[in-house]
Amino acid sequence: MPTPYRHTSPVPRKSATGLVAAVYEQMASDFLLADGPLMSLSSAPDILAATWALTRESEIAGPAPRVNTELVAVAVSRVNRCSYCIDAHTALAHATGEHDLAEAVRGGETPADPR
């Protein structure tokens, strides 16, 4: 069966043990995500757990306007140099109607609006 992963082999949910199994269980319990892109980190359980903790906390801490979360994702994607993620999150920021903000953050600018 083809896999979307080219440079890693995620631990399948049925084979997960220890910390990886615990993270997978929490993902499924809290957000109904039995699998997903974070699985690509499963070969490094500590990184998987830390990434999941940050992702989970951002959702649990309270609602934020969608444009804000997408702009943060664009900025993080720029730092990570992931052109796919930059494009995806910029498109989602555009979908909120904040076109100038989306392009400003995509270009590495700091928005004038402090939010």
Side-chain angles (χ1 to χ4, degrees), residues 3-16 20 24 35-44 48:
T3 175
Y5 304 103
R6 293 177 48 201
H7 303 291
T8 186
S9 297
V11 175
R13 189 159 200 258
K14 293 179 182 178
S15 303
V20 172
Y24 283 1
D35 56 18
L38 290 184
M39 289 181 73
S40 65
L41 302 173
S42 62
S43 60
L48 170 66

Side-chain angles (χ1 to χ4, degrees), residues 42-73:
S42 62
S43 60
D46 290 338
I47 294 173
L48 170 66
T51 302
W52 170 244
L54 292 170
T55 302
R56 182 175 184 262
E57 186 65 27
S58 71
E59 294 294 325
I60 291 174
R66 179 64 183 259
V67 67
N68 293 9
T69 58
E70 294 303 336
L71 293 174
V72 168

